[in-house]
Amino acid sequence: MAAQLISVDTVDQYNKLYGFPTLHPLATVVDMAEAKQWVNHVKWRYGLYALWLKDGKQCTLHYGRKEYDYQDGTIVSFAPGQVVQVDMTEEQIAHPRHTLGLLFHPDLIYGTPLGKAIGNYHFFDYDSAESLHLSERERAMIIDTLKSIHAELELPVDQHSQTILTDRIKLILDYCQRFYDRQFITRHKVNSDILSTFERNIKSYFAEGIAVRKGLPSVAWFADKACLSPGYFGDLIRKETGMNAQVFIQQHVLSLSKERLMDDNKGIGQIADELGFQYPQHFTRFFKKMTGMTPKEYRQK
């Protein structure tokens, strides 16, 4: 039977589904071990930001076509608009484990420093299989901050509430960003292999004529080849090379452009087509932006 689709657009709506009290209209901290009731085999369409700290294998998540079983000490996060399917066994419902969740509405951070910076937290766009794995110390830091947010939620709302809440939520997100940076470093060997494959795939994309059929390559195309989300893949490449993945691709296109311009037997239109540009003038604009001169000027020089 297909999972029921439920749009969760408010904090109060989510709390009522599981029997949690609503202490603040725009934010909540929950422990699923304390849920009074359960909603199982459903698809959530989040209208909220959500961050989950798992303790043991609590449930199975389906994000897109992928399935991921949580292990101890992992964090996964979702942004408004994402759809996630949750499935639990009868045993998991009967004996729920501690799963701490932070959910907050976009209106809470609107106009705040966090609201302006929220797009910098790329992990909201990662797949669930790219979740953050924590050490015991890191996990304790996250839990302490969640407790401080919950303590603030228990106080009456006043003119200071938004500032304090958003500052503490930002602290958790900054911790996650720091721990992801650590995770990229500790997985350097695996990431280096992904980078090497990325470089080979870029070369193959042009050598095998894929560019002629599909046009200029995108970060998403190479991320899919690596079985990673574009966001995680892009951050991984930046950590390994210090360069944005799109810029990395553009540098390769530029190198090929220069190489092929050295062959006087090839016209600029032919080169543009081989590299995946829809029109020669697009190639000319790209080349001039990257080098300060047109392909014709470069060839003459």
Side-chain angles (χ1 to χ4, degrees), residues 138-237:
E138 291 169 348
R139 184 172 178 275
M141 293 168 70
I142 294 292
I143 290 175
D144 285 345
T145 311
L146 285 172
K147 288 180 177 178
S148 73
I149 294 173
H150 188 267
E152 176 61 28
L153 292 173
E154 291 182 314
L155 299 176
V157 176
D158 58 27
Q159 68 268 31
H160 304 289
S161 299
Q162 184 185 37
T163 300
I164 294 172
L165 283 173
T166 55
D167 283 350
R168 292 181 184 178
I169 290 172
K170 185 177 184 302
L171 178 59
I172 278 200
L173 302 186
D174 286 341
Y175 277 150
C176 289
Q177 193 65 68
R178 169 189 278 180
F179 300 155
Y180 259 116
D181 287 347
R182 182 269 307 155
Q183 185 163 292
F184 281 122
I185 293 171
T186 56
R187 295 185 177 184
H188 173 68
K189 175 60 173 68
V190 174
N191 294 346
S192 293
D193 292 342
I194 293 172
L195 175 60
S196 297
T197 302
F198 177 37
E199 292 171 336
R200 289 196 300 271
N201 286 338
I202 291 177
K203 292 176 182 177
S204 297
Y205 192 91
F206 294 98
E208 297 174 7
I210 300 174
V212 177
R213 302 191 304 271
K214 294 183 175 293
L216 287 168
S218 65
V219 174
W221 193 89
F222 294 110
D224 186 64
K225 281 285 186 181
C227 298
L228 297 171
S229 68
Y232 188 91
F233 180 79
D235 286 346
L236 183 156
I237 297 301

Side-chain angles (χ1 to χ4, degrees), residues 8 14 35 46 73 109 158 177 180 203 220 236 241 247 267 277-278:
V8 183
Y14 184 87
Y46 278 100
I109 63 175
D158 58 27
Q177 193 65 68
Y180 259 116
K203 292 176 182 177
L236 183 156
T241 67
V247 173
F277 289 91
Q278 188 173 6

Side-chain angles (χ1 to χ4, degrees), residues 106-130:
D107 286 354
L108 177 69
I109 63 175
Y110 181 76
T112 69
L114 175 57
K116 297 174 182 176
I118 195 70
N120 297 329
Y121 299 102
H122 299 160
F123 50 80
F124 279 111
D125 295 322
Y126 293 173
D127 281 345
S128 54
E130 299 156 353

